[in-house]
């Protein structure tokens, strides 16, 4: 329990769950699904290049490799050059479609992030308003600007979005590791013994550095805003 309590990722998920409204929590599930789909499209787009490279590097691969021979027969062409030309067009269209979908997902993601930041800013404003004028005067203008505008944007665009992206990467990595474990158990054991300790060391080091940097930023940002405001 102490390990989970001190875990940066677990704390991030807990904080996000406490700060988001119910509707944003539901939308976060859909956003996670979109990011997962986008990651899958990235993998597919990267994999789509390999048939073209295989065919272009050596024409004999078209007949020797089953998937290239299948595509060659599917296209119904009579020579390798025509096949390579059609395959290039197909790869180009696949990458174009992937980028269009990625842009659409990025648009939805950006709109959602700014909606979260706006909602948090409104909550903070109402909190100040309910405290009354005398209590508002306790904070300088830099701190108020930081809490009302900058902090919600940092939370939404960095803290929340990065946590969501990291969750997506965890799921994809988990699928890859399970696949390796199923098809190559020995390789999975070697990776666990070599990569695992390295990742643990990096995590321990970055955990301390991130906390220190975050504490310094929370002190310096309000001061910089106070100076910029006069």
């Amino acid at each position: 329990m102490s390990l989970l309590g001190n875990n940066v990722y677990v704390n991030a998920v807990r904080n996000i769950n406490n700060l988001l409204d119910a509707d944003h929590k539901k939308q976060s599930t859909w956003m996670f699904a979109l990011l997962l789909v986008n990651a899958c499209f990235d993998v597919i787009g990267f994999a789509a290049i390999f048939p073209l490279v295989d065919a272009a590097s050596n024409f004999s691969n078209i007949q020797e490799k089953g998937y290239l021979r299948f595509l060659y027969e599917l296209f119904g062409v009579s020579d390798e050059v025509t096949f390579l030309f059609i395959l290039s067009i197909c790869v180009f269209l696949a990458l174009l479609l992937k980028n269009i979908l990625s842009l659409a997902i990025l648009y939805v993601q950006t709109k959602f992030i700014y909606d979260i930041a706006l909602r948090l800013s409104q909550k903070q404003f109402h909190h100040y308003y309910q405290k009354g004028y005398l209590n508002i005067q306790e904070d300088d203008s830099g701190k108020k600007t930081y809490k009302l505008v900058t902090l919600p944007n940092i939370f939404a665009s960095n803290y929340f979005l990065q946590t969501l992206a990291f969750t997506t990467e965890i799921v994809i990595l988990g699928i890859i590791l399970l696949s390796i474990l199923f098809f190559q158990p020995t390789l999975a054991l070697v990776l666990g013994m070599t990569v695992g300790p390295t990742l643990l060391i990096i995590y321990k080091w970055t955990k301390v550095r991130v906390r220190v940097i975050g504490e310094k930023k929370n002190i310096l940002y309000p001061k910089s805003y106070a100076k910029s405001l006069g």
Side-chain angles (χ1 to χ4, degrees):
M1 290 299 293
S2 60
L3 179 62
L4 289 177
N6 295 325
N7 186 276
V8 176
Y9 175 72
V10 174
N11 287 334
V13 173
R14 186 183 296 118
N15 292 334
I16 290 170
N17 183 63
N18 291 334
L19 288 173
L20 292 188
D21 292 334
D23 58 334
H24 279 156
K25 290 178 183 178
K26 292 179 181 178
Q27 292 174 31
S28 297
T29 305
W30 289 105
M31 187 56 57
F32 169 73
L34 285 177
L35 290 177
L36 196 60
V37 169
N38 192 41
C40 292
F41 276 123
D42 286 337
V43 174
I44 293 172
F46 180 73
I49 301 175
F50 285 98
L52 182 61
V53 173
D54 266 349
S57 61
N58 192 345
F59 281 166
S60 62
N61 288 335
I62 297 175
Q63 297 301 327
E64 292 175 359
K65 296 192 174 182
Y67 75 98
L68 286 176
R69 186 168 64 251
F70 170 78
L71 292 174
Y72 185 83
E73 294 172 355
L74 181 66
F75 293 157
V77 295
S78 57
D79 61 275
E80 288 80 2
V81 176
T82 305
F83 170 74
L84 195 61
F85 176 73
I86 296 175
L87 187 60
S88 300
I89 294 176
C90 291
V91 171
F92 171 76
L93 292 176
L95 293 175
L96 181 63
L97 178 61
K98 180 195 77 69
N99 289 329
I100 291 174
L101 290 172
S102 296
L103 284 174
I105 291 174
L106 180 62
Y107 171 78
V108 174
Q109 170 186 296
T110 304
K111 189 174 181 296
F112 179 56
I113 291 301
Y114 280 107
D115 188 48
I116 290 176
L118 177 61
R119 185 82 61 84
L120 291 175
S121 293
Q122 290 173 338
K123 283 184 176 181
Q124 192 65 23
F125 177 81
H126 287 303
H127 173 71
Y128 272 121
Y129 182 78
Q130 289 173 354
K131 288 175 67 176
Y133 178 75
L134 293 178
N135 288 325
I136 291 176
Q137 285 184 315
E138 292 178 0
D139 284 343
D140 58 46
S141 58
K143 286 185 178 180
K144 286 195 287 289
T145 303
Y146 178 69
K147 291 179 180 179
L148 285 170
V149 180
T150 306
L151 198 56
N153 280 313
I154 291 175
F155 171 82
S157 59
N158 293 336
Y159 196 79
F160 170 74
L161 185 59
Q162 294 304 320
T163 303
L164 201 61
F166 184 66
T167 304
T168 306
E169 292 175 3
I170 288 177
V171 173
I172 294 174
L173 181 62
I175 294 173
I176 294 173
L177 290 178
L178 288 175
S179 301
I180 295 175
L181 183 63
F182 182 77
F183 292 104
Q184 294 288 341
T186 305
L187 178 60
L189 180 62
V190 172
L191 287 174
M193 294 176 62
T194 55
V195 179
T198 305
L199 292 177
L200 184 61
I201 293 172
I202 294 173
Y203 167 75
K204 290 291 185 181
W205 184 80
T206 54
K207 178 182 177 181
V208 177
R209 295 295 299 169
V210 167
R211 186 179 68 249
V212 172
I213 292 172
E215 290 173 353
K216 288 182 178 179
K217 186 170 68 174
N218 287 334
I219 295 173
L220 294 175
Y221 266 35
K223 292 181 179 179
S224 66
Y225 276 103
K227 290 182 179 179
S228 65
L229 292 173

Coordinates of all heavy atoms in Angstrom, one line a residue, residues 156-215:
A156 N -4.4 20.9 -17.0 CA -5.1 20.3 -18.1 C -4.1 19.8 -19.2 O -4.2 18.7 -19.7 CB -6.1 21.2 -18.7
S157 N -3.2 20.7 -19.7 CA -2.4 20.5 -20.9 C -1.2 19.6 -20.5 O -0.7 18.9 -21.4 CB -1.9 21.8 -21.5 OG -1.2 22.6 -20.6
N158 N -0.7 19.7 -19.3 CA 0.5 18.9 -19.0 C 0.2 17.7 -18.1 O 0.3 16.6 -18.4 CB 1.5 19.8 -18.3 CG 2.1 20.8 -19.2 OD1 2.1 20.7 -20.4 ND2 2.6 21.9 -18.7
Y159 N -0.3 18.0 -16.9 CA -0.6 17.0 -15.9 C -1.6 16.0 -16.3 O -1.3 14.8 -16.4 CB -1.1 17.7 -14.6 CG -1.0 16.8 -13.3 CD1 0.2 16.6 -12.7 CD2 -2.2 16.3 -12.8 CE1 0.2 15.9 -11.5 CE2 -2.1 15.5 -11.7 CZ -0.9 15.3 -11.0 OH -0.9 14.6 -9.9
F160 N -2.8 16.4 -16.7 CA -3.8 15.5 -17.1 C -3.5 14.8 -18.4 O -3.6 13.6 -18.5 CB -5.2 16.3 -17.2 CG -6.3 15.5 -17.9 CD1 -6.9 14.5 -17.2 CD2 -6.7 15.7 -19.2 CE1 -7.9 13.7 -17.7 CE2 -7.7 15.0 -19.8 CZ -8.3 14.0 -19.0
L161 N -3.1 15.6 -19.4 CA -2.9 15.0 -20.8 C -1.7 14.0 -20.7 O -1.8 13.0 -21.4 CB -2.6 16.1 -21.8 CG -2.4 15.7 -23.2 CD1 -3.7 15.0 -23.7 CD2 -2.1 16.9 -24.1
Q162 N -0.6 14.4 -20.0 CA 0.5 13.4 -19.9 C 0.1 12.2 -19.2 O 0.6 11.1 -19.6 CB 1.7 14.1 -19.3 CG 2.3 15.3 -20.1 CD 2.7 14.9 -21.5 OE1 3.3 13.9 -21.7 NE2 2.4 15.8 -22.4
T163 N -0.7 12.3 -18.2 CA -1.1 11.1 -17.5 C -2.0 10.2 -18.4 O -1.8 9.0 -18.4 CB -1.9 11.5 -16.2 OG1 -1.2 12.3 -15.4 CG2 -2.4 10.2 -15.4
L164 N -2.8 10.8 -19.2 CA -3.7 10.1 -20.1 C -2.8 9.4 -21.2 O -3.0 8.2 -21.5 CB -4.7 11.0 -20.8 CG -5.9 10.4 -21.4 CD1 -6.7 9.7 -20.3 CD2 -6.8 11.5 -22.0
A165 N -1.8 10.1 -21.7 CA -0.9 9.6 -22.7 C -0.1 8.4 -22.1 O 0.1 7.4 -22.8 CB 0.0 10.7 -23.3
F166 N 0.4 8.6 -20.9 CA 1.2 7.6 -20.2 C 0.3 6.3 -20.0 O 0.8 5.2 -20.1 CB 1.7 8.1 -18.9 CG 2.6 7.2 -18.2 CD1 3.9 6.8 -18.7 CD2 2.3 6.6 -17.0 CE1 4.7 6.0 -18.1 CE2 3.1 5.7 -16.3 CZ 4.3 5.4 -16.9
T167 N -0.9 6.5 -19.6 CA -1.8 5.3 -19.5 C -2.0 4.6 -20.8 O -2.0 3.3 -20.8 CB -3.2 5.8 -19.0 OG1 -3.1 6.6 -17.8 CG2 -4.1 4.6 -18.7
T168 N -2.1 5.3 -21.9 CA -2.2 4.7 -23.2 C -0.9 3.9 -23.5 O -1.0 2.7 -24.0 CB -2.4 5.7 -24.3 OG1 -3.5 6.6 -24.0 CG2 -2.6 5.1 -25.6
E169 N 0.2 4.5 -23.2 CA 1.5 3.8 -23.4 C 1.6 2.5 -22.6 O 2.2 1.5 -23.0 CB 2.7 4.7 -23.2 CG 2.7 5.8 -24.2 CD 3.8 6.9 -23.9 OE1 4.5 6.6 -22.9 OE2 3.9 7.8 -24.7
I170 N 1.1 2.6 -21.3 CA 1.2 1.4 -20.4 C 0.4 0.3 -21.0 O 0.8 -0.9 -21.0 CB 0.7 1.8 -19.0 CG1 1.7 2.7 -18.3 CG2 0.4 0.5 -18.2 CD1 1.2 3.2 -17.0
V171 N -0.8 0.6 -21.5 CA -1.7 -0.4 -22.1 C -1.0 -1.1 -23.3 O -1.0 -2.3 -23.5 CB -3.1 0.2 -22.5 CG1 -3.9 -0.8 -23.3 CG2 -3.8 0.6 -21.3
I172 N -0.5 -0.2 -24.2 CA 0.2 -0.7 -25.4 C 1.4 -1.6 -25.0 O 1.7 -2.6 -25.6 CB 0.6 0.4 -26.3 CG1 -0.7 1.1 -26.9 CG2 1.5 -0.1 -27.5 CD1 -0.4 2.4 -27.7
L173 N 2.2 -1.1 -24.1 CA 3.4 -1.8 -23.6 C 3.0 -3.1 -23.0 O 3.7 -4.2 -23.2 CB 4.2 -1.0 -22.6 CG 5.5 -1.6 -22.1 CD1 6.5 -1.9 -23.2 CD2 6.1 -0.7 -21.0
G174 N 1.9 -3.1 -22.3 CA 1.4 -4.4 -21.7 C 1.0 -5.4 -22.7 O 1.3 -6.6 -22.6
I175 N 0.4 -4.9 -23.8 CA 0.0 -5.8 -24.9 C 1.2 -6.4 -25.6 O 1.3 -7.6 -25.9 CB -0.9 -5.1 -25.9 CG1 -2.2 -4.7 -25.3 CG2 -1.1 -5.9 -27.2 CD1 -3.1 -3.8 -26.2
I176 N 2.2 -5.5 -25.8 CA 3.5 -6.0 -26.4 C 4.2 -7.0 -25.5 O 4.6 -8.1 -26.0 CB 4.4 -4.8 -26.7 CG1 3.8 -3.9 -27.7 CG2 5.8 -5.3 -27.1 CD1 4.6 -2.6 -28.0
L177 N 4.2 -6.7 -24.2 CA 4.9 -7.7 -23.3 C 4.2 -9.0 -23.2 O 4.8 -10.1 -23.1 CB 5.1 -7.0 -21.9 CG 6.0 -5.8 -21.8 CD1 6.0 -5.2 -20.4 CD2 7.4 -6.2 -22.2
L178 N 2.9 -8.9 -23.2 CA 2.1 -10.2 -23.1 C 2.3 -11.0 -24.4 O 2.4 -12.3 -24.3 CB 0.6 -9.9 -22.9 CG 0.2 -9.4 -21.5 CD1 -1.3 -9.0 -21.5 CD2 0.5 -10.5 -20.5
S179 N 2.4 -10.3 -25.5 CA 2.7 -11.0 -26.8 C 4.0 -11.7 -26.8 O 4.2 -12.8 -27.2 CB 2.6 -10.0 -28.0 OG 1.3 -9.4 -28.0
I180 N 5.0 -10.9 -26.3 CA 6.4 -11.5 -26.2 C 6.4 -12.7 -25.2 O 7.0 -13.7 -25.5 CB 7.4 -10.4 -25.7 CG1 7.5 -9.3 -26.8 CG2 8.8 -11.1 -25.5 CD1 8.4 -8.2 -26.4
L181 N 5.7 -12.5 -24.1 CA 5.7 -13.6 -23.1 C 5.0 -14.8 -23.6 O 5.4 -16.0 -23.3 CB 4.9 -13.1 -21.8 CG 4.8 -14.1 -20.7 CD1 6.2 -14.4 -20.1 CD2 3.9 -13.5 -19.6
F182 N 4.0 -14.6 -24.5 CA 3.3 -15.8 -25.1 C 4.1 -16.5 -26.2 O 4.2 -17.7 -26.2 CB 1.9 -15.3 -25.6 CG 1.1 -16.4 -26.2 CD1 0.4 -17.3 -25.4 CD2 1.0 -16.6 -27.6 CE1 -0.4 -18.3 -25.9 CE2 0.2 -17.6 -28.2 CZ -0.5 -18.5 -27.3
F183 N 4.7 -15.7 -27.0 CA 5.4 -16.3 -28.2 C 6.9 -16.6 -27.9 O 7.4 -17.5 -28.4 CB 5.3 -15.3 -29.4 CG 3.9 -15.2 -30.0 CD1 3.1 -14.1 -29.7 CD2 3.4 -16.3 -30.7 CE1 1.9 -14.0 -30.2 CE2 2.1 -16.2 -31.2 CZ 1.3 -15.0 -31.0
Q184 N 7.5 -15.7 -27.0 CA 8.9 -15.9 -26.7 C 9.2 -15.7 -25.2 O 9.6 -14.7 -24.8 CB 9.8 -14.8 -27.5 CG 9.8 -15.0 -29.0 CD 10.6 -16.2 -29.5 OE1 11.4 -16.7 -28.7 NE2 10.3 -16.7 -30.7
P185 N 8.8 -16.7 -24.4 CA 9.0 -16.6 -23.0 C 10.4 -16.3 -22.5 O 10.6 -15.6 -21.6 CB 8.5 -18.0 -22.4 CG 7.6 -18.5 -23.6 CD 8.2 -18.0 -24.8
T186 N 11.4 -16.9 -23.2 CA 12.8 -16.7 -22.8 C 13.2 -15.3 -23.0 O 13.8 -14.7 -22.2 CB 13.7 -17.6 -23.7 OG1 13.3 -19.0 -23.5 CG2 15.1 -17.5 -23.2
L187 N 12.8 -14.7 -24.2 CA 13.1 -13.3 -24.5 C 12.4 -12.4 -23.4 O 13.0 -11.4 -23.0 CB 12.6 -12.9 -25.9 CG 12.8 -11.5 -26.3 CD1 14.3 -11.1 -26.3 CD2 12.2 -11.2 -27.7
A188 N 11.2 -12.7 -23.0 CA 10.5 -11.9 -22.0 C 11.3 -11.9 -20.7 O 11.4 -10.9 -20.0 CB 9.1 -12.4 -21.8
L189 N 11.8 -13.1 -20.3 CA 12.6 -13.3 -19.1 C 13.9 -12.4 -19.1 O 14.2 -11.7 -18.2 CB 12.9 -14.7 -18.8 CG 13.7 -15.0 -17.6 CD1 12.9 -14.6 -16.3 CD2 14.0 -16.5 -17.5
V190 N 14.6 -12.5 -20.3 CA 15.8 -11.7 -20.5 C 15.5 -10.2 -20.4 O 16.2 -9.4 -19.7 CB 16.5 -12.1 -21.8 CG1 17.6 -11.1 -22.1 CG2 16.9 -13.5 -21.8
L191 N 14.4 -9.7 -21.0 CA 14.1 -8.3 -21.0 C 13.7 -7.9 -19.6 O 14.1 -6.8 -19.1 CB 12.9 -8.1 -21.9 CG 13.2 -8.1 -23.4 CD1 11.9 -8.0 -24.2 CD2 14.1 -7.0 -23.8
G192 N 13.0 -8.8 -18.8 CA 12.6 -8.4 -17.5 C 13.8 -8.3 -16.6 O 13.9 -7.4 -15.7
M193 N 14.9 -9.1 -16.8 CA 16.0 -9.1 -15.9 C 17.0 -8.0 -16.3 O 17.7 -7.5 -15.4 CB 16.8 -10.5 -16.0 CG 16.0 -11.6 -15.5 SD 16.8 -13.2 -15.7 CE 18.3 -13.0 -14.8
T194 N 17.0 -7.5 -17.5 CA 17.9 -6.5 -18.0 C 17.3 -5.1 -18.0 O 17.9 -4.1 -17.4 CB 18.5 -6.8 -19.4 OG1 17.3 -7.0 -20.3 CG2 19.3 -8.1 -19.4
V195 N 16.1 -5.0 -18.6 CA 15.5 -3.7 -18.7 C 14.8 -3.3 -17.4 O 14.8 -2.1 -17.1 CB 14.4 -3.7 -19.9 CG1 13.7 -2.4 -20.0 CG2 15.1 -4.1 -21.2
G196 N 14.2 -4.2 -16.7 CA 13.4 -3.9 -15.5 C 14.2 -3.1 -14.5 O 13.8 -2.1 -14.0
P197 N 15.4 -3.6 -14.0 CA 16.2 -2.8 -13.0 C 16.6 -1.4 -13.5 O 16.6 -0.5 -12.7 CB 17.4 -3.7 -12.8 CG 17.0 -5.1 -13.2 CD 16.0 -4.9 -14.3
T198 N 16.9 -1.3 -14.8 CA 17.2 0.0 -15.4 C 16.1 1.0 -15.3 O 16.2 2.1 -14.9 CB 17.7 -0.1 -16.8 OG1 18.7 -1.1 -16.9 CG2 18.1 1.2 -17.4
L199 N 14.9 0.5 -15.6 CA 13.7 1.4 -15.5 C 13.4 1.8 -14.1 O 13.0 2.9 -13.8 CB 12.5 0.6 -16.1 CG 12.5 0.4 -17.7 CD1 11.3 -0.4 -18.1 CD2 12.6 1.7 -18.4
L200 N 13.6 0.8 -13.2 CA 13.4 1.1 -11.8 C 14.3 2.2 -11.2 O 13.9 3.1 -10.5 CB 13.6 -0.1 -10.9 CG 13.3 0.0 -9.4 CD1 11.8 0.4 -9.2 CD2 13.6 -1.3 -8.7
I201 N 15.6 2.2 -11.7 CA 16.6 3.2 -11.3 C 16.2 4.5 -11.8 O 16.3 5.6 -11.2 CB 18.0 2.8 -11.7 CG1 18.5 1.5 -11.0 CG2 19.0 3.9 -11.5 CD1 19.7 0.9 -11.5
I202 N 15.8 4.5 -13.1 CA 15.4 5.8 -13.8 C 14.2 6.4 -13.1 O 14.1 7.6 -12.9 CB 15.2 5.6 -15.3 CG1 16.5 5.2 -16.0 CG2 14.5 6.8 -15.9 CD1 16.2 4.8 -17.4
Y203 N 13.3 5.5 -12.7 CA 12.1 6.0 -12.1 C 12.4 6.6 -10.7 O 11.9 7.7 -10.4 CB 11.1 4.8 -11.9 CG 10.0 5.2 -10.9 CD1 8.9 6.0 -11.3 CD2 10.0 4.6 -9.6 CE1 7.9 6.3 -10.4 CE2 8.9 4.9 -8.7 CZ 7.9 5.7 -9.1 OH 6.9 6.0 -8.3
K204 N 13.3 6.0 -9.9 CA 13.6 6.5 -8.6 C 14.3 7.9 -8.7 O 14.0 8.8 -7.9 CB 14.5 5.5 -7.9 CG 13.9 4.2 -7.5 CD 12.9 4.5 -6.3 CE 12.3 3.1 -5.8 NZ 11.3 3.4 -4.7
W205 N 15.2 8.0 -9.7 CA 15.9 9.3 -9.9 C 15.0 10.4 -10.4 O 15.0 11.5 -9.8 CB 17.1 9.0 -10.9 CG 17.9 10.3 -11.0 CD1 18.9 10.7 -10.2 CD2 17.9 11.2 -12.1 NE1 19.5 11.8 -10.7 CE2 18.9 12.2 -11.8 CE3 17.1 11.4 -13.2 CZ2 19.1 13.3 -12.7 CZ3 17.3 12.4 -14.1 CH2 18.3 13.4 -13.8
T206 N 14.2 10.1 -11.4 CA 13.3 11.1 -11.9 C 12.2 11.5 -11.0 O 11.8 12.7 -11.0 CB 12.7 10.7 -13.3 OG1 12.0 9.4 -13.1 CG2 13.7 10.5 -14.3
K207 N 11.8 10.6 -10.1 CA 10.7 10.9 -9.2 C 11.1 12.1 -8.2 O 10.4 13.0 -8.0 CB 10.4 9.7 -8.3 CG 9.3 9.9 -7.3 CD 9.1 8.6 -6.5 CE 8.1 8.9 -5.3 NZ 7.9 7.6 -4.5
V208 N 12.4 12.0 -7.7 CA 12.9 13.1 -6.9 C 13.1 14.4 -7.6 O 12.7 15.4 -7.2 CB 14.2 12.6 -6.2 CG1 14.8 13.7 -5.4 CG2 14.0 11.4 -5.4
R209 N 13.6 14.3 -8.8 CA 13.9 15.5 -9.6 C 12.6 16.2 -10.0 O 12.5 17.4 -9.9 CB 14.7 15.1 -10.9 CG 16.1 14.6 -10.6 CD 17.0 15.6 -10.1 NE 17.1 16.7 -10.9 CZ 17.7 17.9 -10.6 NH1 18.1 18.1 -9.4 NH2 17.8 18.9 -11.5
V210 N 11.6 15.4 -10.4 CA 10.3 16.0 -10.8 C 9.7 16.7 -9.6 O 9.1 17.8 -9.8 CB 9.4 14.9 -11.4 CG1 7.9 15.5 -11.5 CG2 9.9 14.5 -12.7
R211 N 9.7 16.1 -8.4 CA 9.1 16.8 -7.2 C 9.8 18.1 -6.9 O 9.2 19.1 -6.6 CB 9.2 15.8 -6.0 CG 8.5 16.4 -4.8 CD 8.5 15.4 -3.7 NE 9.8 15.3 -3.1 CZ 10.5 14.2 -3.2 NH1 10.1 13.1 -3.8 NH2 11.7 14.1 -2.6
V212 N 11.2 18.1 -7.0 CA 11.9 19.3 -6.7 C 11.6 20.4 -7.7 O 11.4 21.6 -7.3 CB 13.5 19.0 -6.7 CG1 14.3 20.3 -6.5 CG2 13.8 18.0 -5.5
I213 N 11.6 20.0 -9.0 CA 11.3 21.0 -10.0 C 9.9 21.6 -9.9 O 9.7 22.8 -10.0 CB 11.5 20.4 -11.4 CG1 13.0 20.1 -11.6 CG2 11.0 21.3 -12.5 CD1 13.3 19.3 -12.9
G214 N 9.0 20.7 -9.5 CA 7.6 21.2 -9.4 C 7.5 22.1 -8.2 O 6.7 23.1 -8.3
E215 N 8.2 21.9 -7.1 CA 8.1 22.8 -5.9 C 8.7 24.1 -6.3 O 8.2 25.2 -5.9 CB 8.8 22.1 -4.8 CG 8.1 20.9 -4.2 CD 8.9 20.2 -3.1 OE1 10.1 20.6 -3.0 OE2 8.4 19.3 -2.5

